[in-house]
Amino acid sequence: MRCPACLIRNSVRVYGRRWFRLPGPLIIIDRQIKLTSFIVSKNNHRLKKVFKNKKGRFVRFRRGQSAEKEMVLMLHIAPIPVTPFSSPPLRRHRCPPPMAASASHQPKSAPVVLGCGAVGADYLATVASFPNPDDKIRSLALKVQGGGNAGNALTGAARLGLSPRIISKVSDDALGRNILKELQDDGVDTSYMTVAEEGNSPFTYIIVDNQTKTRTCIHTPGYPPMTPEELTKENLFAALHGVDMVYFDVRLHETALLVAEEASQRKIPILIDAEKKRDGLDELLNFASYVVCSAKFPQAWTGASSTPVGLVHMLLRLPNIKFVIVTRGEKGCLMLERSMTDASETEETDVEDLLESLEQKVDLNSSLPKCIASKSNLRISADGVGSMSGRLLLGTAESILSEELIDTTGAGDAFIGAVLYGLCTGMPVEKMLPFAAQVAACGCRALGARAGLPHLTDPRLFV
């Protein structure tokens, strides 16, 4: 049996978020009828809150109605007698909660991810086919929306339920203000953004070819560029406070290195988006826990003969990395995961032969993404490179009908946003890869990188 003070404390929770000390009397109704409380003025006439009755319908009392009387008529029970607040402030209350009750009723805060990288504005023009030199054509559709790898990935993570923060820079112009507002509207914390008084915010012209379903990007960087001095130590420490994961798209690399060094000292996992070779990439990779890269990157970075050989080479060169994922567009993705235990006594398996065996297990008649994994803790080798203990996973892409495929802009960013969600929520990688493929497919069904990004409640997602 709870003490009266506990009942009062539990009943003044407004909209499920904060506790309030109420000046007037409080009527407490049994929890079993899905109504924890309602608040009335001293004369029991004005209801201060909208609530649901036991049929799930919203109820609001008009001025002059007796809240207490109407409540009895609606629920057919008598309320507990009203008593005004006369006890000491609630924060001084020391009554221990009943066993296992306090934790179960406390809402869990969303995992926090900090991103550092590019934001911008995208001007998206859809054309029937890409123009030839000196041609004049008309666009079929034109849209302006937020862009930038970090901005897109963190927006996707926010819609899935994470609590993202971003470190980047815009100018105090119309584009910059719109970039900030769009991020804020999606739940991305922009408190640690730098806003220049002069200059221009970054933007990109994107030509979407309806005929080939490809896009061509022409990017204009922001000016003046961000410098490490613009990220104060106070802001850096505040941005990293309570963070579960840090993400870099390898833009703003000098500032990113400062963030990576501090995050590494705090033992915060780091995910790197290695789209292509950039300034500062090699230094950042030394701090990485996870890497998501484009299809061409493993060979370009290592000089390997093939993508799977390049993956083995990457994990041998970067001993702190737990896994590398290669996104391959409509072919899905490939993931090489390091084992925590040594399998040096196990017979070696060639990585290219292993990939071929996984590809033979793909169901070509299935339109939904799947994950096909090799056995765990294999000794995986690559000719001329070496061997490592781990497993190989092949993720298929979601099959999209040609009439549904609108634009592939930002598909990789959407995939990374879903990977951030999977890592921060402890999702097994066998589920994370198909989930990320579904999120990316949703993004491809709308124009631009963000218009199609789904929320976690989207019926197209099967978590």
Side-chain angles (χ1 to χ4, degrees):
M1 190 67 183
R2 296 188 182 186
C3 72
C6 281
L7 287 173
I8 290 173
R9 182 182 60 186
N10 289 336
S11 62
V12 295
R13 193 170 179 187
V14 178
Y15 299 113
R17 292 184 181 176
R18 298 179 61 187
W19 296 97
F20 289 85
R21 178 103 190 271
L22 304 174
L26 187 70
I27 296 178
I28 305 169
I29 303 299
D30 189 352
R31 289 177 178 272
Q32 298 302 317
I33 50 180
K34 296 185 179 179
L35 178 63
T36 58
S37 67
F38 61 92
I39 304 164
V40 296
S41 63
K42 291 183 179 180
N43 57 7
N44 277 355
H45 282 291
R46 296 184 192 171
L47 191 69
K48 299 293 186 183
K49 183 179 176 184
V50 178
F51 54 85
K52 289 184 179 181
N53 62 17
K54 62 181 179 180
K55 293 183 179 180
R57 297 175 180 173
F58 285 97
V59 178
R60 185 192 294 274
F61 286 94
R62 297 186 299 274
R63 182 186 296 273
Q65 282 185 299
S66 169
E68 184 175 357
K69 178 181 177 182
E70 294 293 324
M71 203 64 203
V72 173
L73 290 176
M74 183 176 70
L75 300 175
H76 305 291
I77 64 170
I80 298 172
V82 176
T83 56
F85 282 99
S86 59
S87 58
L90 297 177
R91 59 186 172 86
R92 298 181 184 175
H93 179 60
R94 293 289 184 266
C95 175
M99 189 173 181
S102 60
S104 61
H105 290 292
Q106 292 292 333
K108 293 183 179 180
S109 57
V112 180
V113 57
L114 172 65
C116 177
V119 297
D122 288 348
Y123 294 88
L124 296 128
T126 303
V127 297
S129 61
F130 195 83
N132 294 316
D134 208 30
D135 270 359
K136 291 184 178 180
I137 61 173
R138 291 188 177 186
S139 62
L140 304 177
L142 178 65
K143 194 170 189 177
V144 182
Q145 62 177 263
N149 294 53
N152 297 336
L154 294 178
T155 296
R159 293 189 187 180
L160 293 173
L162 298 188
S163 180
R165 304 168 185 168
I166 187 167
I167 295 174
S168 191
K169 183 175 182 178
V170 294
S171 293
D172 188 17
D173 52 13
L175 278 184
R177 290 188 288 271
N178 287 335
I179 290 168
L180 291 176
K181 183 180 184 304
E182 192 168 345
L183 289 169
Q184 292 162 2
D185 288 347
D186 268 307
V188 179
D189 184 352
T190 61
S191 304
Y192 310 101
M193 294 272 293
T194 299
V195 180
E197 294 182 0
E198 298 180 352
N200 67 275
S201 297
F203 62 92
T204 304
Y205 294 117
I206 302 175
I207 302 174
V208 181
D209 186 347
N210 262 1
Q211 186 177 36
T212 61
K213 302 296 182 181
T214 59
R215 82 285 187 275
T216 303
C217 303
I218 306 171
H219 179 65
T220 300
Y223 184 84
M226 188 172 187
T227 61
E229 294 74 23
E230 291 177 290
L231 180 62
T232 66
K233 189 168 287 188
E234 292 76 16
N235 271 354
L236 173 59
F237 291 170
L240 285 169
H241 178 70
V243 165
D244 298 280
M245 180 81 60
V246 178
Y247 154 69
F248 300 102
D249 65 3
V250 201
R251 269 48 168 232
L252 314 176
H253 65 276
E254 292 178 338
T255 303
L257 280 172
L258 288 180
V259 181
E261 289 172 359
E262 184 63 30
S264 180
Q265 290 181 8
R266 300 182 183 213
K267 309 297 182 184
I268 302 174
I270 293 174
L271 184 145
I272 303 290
D273 172 14
E275 184 180 22
K276 60 182 180 181
K277 296 174 71 173
R278 302 183 189 276
D279 291 339
L281 172 62
D282 289 358
E283 293 89 341
L284 281 173
L285 284 174
N286 290 324
F287 294 104
S289 310
Y290 312 95
V291 176
V292 179
C293 59
S294 63
K296 297 179 181 179
F297 179 80
Q299 289 179 264
W301 193 69
T302 63
S305 58
S306 66
T307 296
V309 172
L311 287 179
V312 175
H313 197 171
M314 286 182 68
L315 264 71
L316 289 174
R317 282 179 60 179
L318 302 167
N320 295 326
I321 288 183
K322 297 179 180 178
F323 66 63
V324 178
I325 299 175
V326 177
T327 57
R328 306 191 299 169
E330 62 183 11
K331 293 182 180 180
C333 66
L334 191 62
M335 173 177 169
L336 184 59
E337 181 183 40
R338 189 189 306 275
S339 293
M340 295 298 102
T341 56
D342 185 23
S344 56
E345 302 299 325
T346 309
E347 183 180 354
E348 291 186 359
T349 302
D350 182 76
V351 66
E352 292 183 307
D353 293 341
L354 186 58
L355 175 58
E356 185 178 352
S357 67
L358 296 181
E359 289 175 335
Q360 292 175 356
K361 298 178 182 179
V362 174
D363 183 2
L364 300 177
N365 296 320
S366 176
S367 61
L368 294 177
K370 305 288 184 182
C371 178
I372 304 165
S374 72
K375 292 181 180 179
S376 300
N377 207 30
L378 295 175
R379 193 68 186 172
I380 301 174
S381 65
D383 288 341
V385 175
S387 62
M388 52 155 292
S389 302
R391 64 171 175 163
L392 190 67
L393 299 95
L394 174 64
T396 63
E398 181 173 335
S399 178
I400 306 176
L401 298 176
S402 58
E403 59 268 23
E404 293 181 355
L405 180 60
I406 304 299
D407 180 19
T408 59
T409 300
D413 301 333
F415 186 94
I416 289 176
V419 170
L420 288 170
Y421 174 82
L423 290 172
C424 288
T425 56
M427 186 182 293
V429 293
E430 295 89 345
K431 292 185 178 180
M432 183 180 71
L433 296 183
F435 175 71
Q438 288 179 327
V439 171
C442 289
C444 292
R445 290 182 169 95
L447 182 61
R450 299 190 192 174
L453 289 175
H455 292 80
L456 192 62
T457 55
D458 194 305
R460 295 173 295 180
L461 301 181
F462 302 95
V463 183

